Amino acid sequence: MQPAPPAAQKLSFVEKAGYSAADSAANFVFMTMILFQTNFYTDVFGLTAGAAAAILLWPRLWDAVADPIVGILSDRTDTRWGKFRPWVLFTAVPWFIIMVLAYTTPKGWSMGSLIAYAAITNTLLMTIYSMNNMPYAALGGVMTGDVNERAKLNSFRFIAVNAAQFIVGGFTLPLVAKFSIGHDRQHGWQMTMLVWAVLCLFLFLITFSTTKERIKPIAREKSSPKEDFLNLLKNNPWKVMFCMTVFHFCMLSFRGGALYNYYHHYADKAAMYDWVQKLGLVAPAGAPPAHGILETLGYIVHGDRADVATSNVADVANSIINMLGTGITIVVILLSPPLAKRFGKKAVSITGFALAAIGTLAFYFVSPTNITGMVVLTSLIAIAYAPTIPLIWAIYADVADYSEWKTGRRFTGMVFATIGFGLKAGLALGSASFLWIMSGFFNYDTKLPDSPSAIQGYRVCSGIVVGLLFAACTLLLLIYQLNKKTTLQMANELNERRINA
């Protein structure tokens, strides 16, 4: 099959939106994992910090190992639907089942049995995530060879991603509180994840039915996984992006656990109550029952300022701030294609990570009663970081192109699988490191989350540690070799080879 020239590889709105649906679905698991999984295991499931760290670490490290295996298999998959689309389809139903089980807490089990259950279900969840999302990521690299279309495709993708993140970050905790009959947050989590799992199933089917694979390897020669990996080791841009991915996703999972505790334990709940009250989301004690969509979604804080410690005010305030940051991100992502076209993906990403590092370090200096300051910093960090989100994934596709440019062979699945390894390793290290730092340096006890030393730990982790991780990502992007000029040259030469093959 002769590949189409770039002009013929323009993607329709339907295909871009359809491709985006599966990553939107994946983020119902991913963002729940980033924002809430650490505290689900400690505060709801009832594990100690050490047990929770192990449950978060080992399944994700196994998932990191599973990614290259899936990459090898998907690169060698050959069906009438393509290499990567079938993986999205056939993992949809198992994803639905395992997603619910992973956030179900068995009643009356011993601690040893609970730990085993958490380890098994989290391992299965990470495995099915790898089997679905790694081929999905590679799919974006074979839908078109036009670098500008790829940037647009990833902008669509990450608008959908951030829409899902908006929903997860904004509605998960209020829904958990709403479904928590008699303050049973275990039941609340199970029912909330059932709702999200139904949405995931529907979105995966949309992606499968609306996308098409167009980029085919020029040569059909067989190669071993060992040969693919040895060729990948010659790819210097891949080496840099692999390391950057580890730090990037370590930062994201570390930040999620730290910020949850920052808002639930460091931020002053009375100040939160005053802030939420200004938004009209308070129903004082003795007020008639509220009605409407906000009450249904759990967004009304019931009670007075004097009893905020037992209210859902932290859930509501944290969720509103999450939604604000994500909403800004969705809007600013729209600017990433023109920014990348003018300045290049590398330059825009470096600037975004550097500014996000500065904004995050400032979190350490915000007082617990300064809710407005927290909101302002969240908004500024979102503005800086948003353009980098789709561009980093477009850079991964450039790294795959670089391998083909230099070796004459394309192994997109292997590139994305190894990047997936770095991603999962980073996620594992981020969540576990947060608990290790809290336990080792701040005497963190999951039964005493409001101790002065623990509160200082949340403050240090949310501001200083996360800021330093942003800075590490910035330094790695500075040494990444593929700038705008080289990327355009590479894309043009590869397209000529495909046409002449």
Side-chain angles (χ1 to χ4, degrees), residues 161-213:
V161 162
N162 279 276
Q165 292 179 4
F166 183 88
I167 294 170
V168 172
F171 296 104
T172 298
L173 293 180
L175 283 175
V176 167
K178 184 72 176 179
F179 288 130
S180 297
I181 302 171
H183 299 288
D184 182 3
R185 289 181 73 85
Q186 294 176 349
H187 180 263
W189 270 101
Q190 183 185 48
M191 295 307 298
T192 301
M193 296 309 290
L194 177 61
V195 173
W196 294 162
V198 170
L199 284 174
C200 288
L201 181 61
F202 178 67
L203 291 167
F204 287 140
L205 296 179
I206 290 176
T207 293
F208 174 78
S209 62
T210 57
T211 55
K212 181 180 180 181
E213 298 181 23

Side-chain angles (χ1 to χ4, degrees), residues 198-245:
V198 170
L199 284 174
C200 288
L201 181 61
F202 178 67
L203 291 167
F204 287 140
L205 296 179
I206 290 176
T207 293
F208 174 78
S209 62
T210 57
T211 55
K212 181 180 180 181
E213 298 181 23
R214 294 175 178 83
I215 303 298
K216 305 292 183 183
I218 292 175
R220 289 277 186 179
E221 76 273 10
K222 299 293 183 181
S223 63
S224 69
K226 181 180 178 181
E227 289 175 311
D228 287 352
F229 187 69
L230 290 175
N231 280 323
L232 194 59
L233 290 177
K234 301 173 185 177
N235 186 330
N236 287 326
W238 169 82
K239 294 176 186 176
V240 174
M241 291 308 297
F242 177 84
C243 295
M244 187 270 178
T245 300

Side-chain angles (χ1 to χ4, degrees), residues 421-434:
F421 180 97
L423 185 156
K424 304 296 174 48
L427 290 176
L429 291 171
S431 295
S433 294
F434 169 68

Side-chain angles (χ1 to χ4, degrees), residues 381-464:
I381 293 167
I383 291 170
Y385 178 60
T388 73
I389 297 172
L391 297 183
I392 290 299
W393 286 94
I395 286 173
Y396 294 148
D398 293 341
V399 170
D401 282 350
Y402 183 84
S403 287
E404 183 179 1
W405 190 43
K406 288 297 185 181
T407 67
R409 294 184 54 256
R410 186 175 189 88
F411 31 89
T412 311
M414 176 63 80
V415 169
F416 278 90
T418 51
I419 290 296
F421 180 97
L423 185 156
K424 304 296 174 48
L427 290 176
L429 291 171
S431 295
S433 294
F434 169 68
L435 293 172
W436 290 335
I437 290 173
M438 288 298 301
S439 297
F441 293 95
F442 301 101
N443 301 316
Y444 178 53
D445 183 344
T446 58
K447 305 299 183 185
L448 298 170
D450 292 313
S451 69
S453 59
I455 290 173
Q456 176 64 5
Y458 308 144
R459 183 184 178 196
V460 170
C461 288
S462 299
I464 294 175

Side-chain angles (χ1 to χ4, degrees), residues 191-323:
M191 295 307 298
T192 301
M193 296 309 290
L194 177 61
V195 173
W196 294 162
V198 170
L199 284 174
C200 288
L201 181 61
F202 178 67
L203 291 167
F204 287 140
L205 296 179
I206 290 176
T207 293
F208 174 78
S209 62
T210 57
T211 55
K212 181 180 180 181
E213 298 181 23
R214 294 175 178 83
I215 303 298
K216 305 292 183 183
I218 292 175
R220 289 277 186 179
E221 76 273 10
K222 299 293 183 181
S223 63
S224 69
K226 181 180 178 181
E227 289 175 311
D228 287 352
F229 187 69
L230 290 175
N231 280 323
L232 194 59
L233 290 177
K234 301 173 185 177
N235 186 330
N236 287 326
W238 169 82
K239 294 176 186 176
V240 174
M241 291 308 297
F242 177 84
C243 295
M244 187 270 178
T245 300
V246 173
F247 277 96
H248 185 190
F249 285 88
C250 178
M251 179 273 296
L252 290 178
S253 60
F254 190 102
R255 184 187 187 207
L259 283 178
Y260 178 95
N261 286 288
Y262 185 92
Y263 288 118
H264 281 73
H265 302 292
Y266 173 74
D268 184 78
K269 287 186 172 61
M272 282 185 171
Y273 184 94
D274 294 338
W275 184 70
V276 170
Q277 188 175 41
K278 293 176 183 177
L279 301 177
L281 299 176
V282 168
H291 299 285
I293 187 65
L294 292 176
E295 177 65 34
T296 301
L297 295 173
Y299 260 89
I300 301 299
V301 177
H302 295 273
D304 297 317
R305 195 175 189 274
D307 57 9
V308 290
T310 58
S311 74
N312 63 332
V313 66
D315 289 334
V316 172
N318 189 1
S319 298
I320 293 171
I321 294 172
N322 283 340
M323 286 197 297

Side-chain angles (χ1 to χ4, degrees), residues 91-104 117 125 197 201:
T91 55
V93 172
W95 179 295
F96 168 83
I97 296 170
I98 296 166
M99 185 175 174
V100 177
L101 291 177
Y103 287 89
T104 296
Y117 177 87
L125 182 63
L201 181 61

Side-chain angles (χ1 to χ4, degrees), residues 136-184:
Y136 166 80
L139 173 62
V142 298
M143 288 172 63
T144 178
D146 186 321
V147 293
N148 291 322
E149 281 296 289
R150 281 182 181 170
K152 293 176 184 177
L153 179 64
N154 278 287
S155 293
F156 267 75
R157 172 186 177 185
F158 285 101
I159 289 171
V161 162
N162 279 276
Q165 292 179 4
F166 183 88
I167 294 170
V168 172
F171 296 104
T172 298
L173 293 180
L175 283 175
V176 167
K178 184 72 176 179
F179 288 130
S180 297
I181 302 171
H183 299 288
D184 182 3

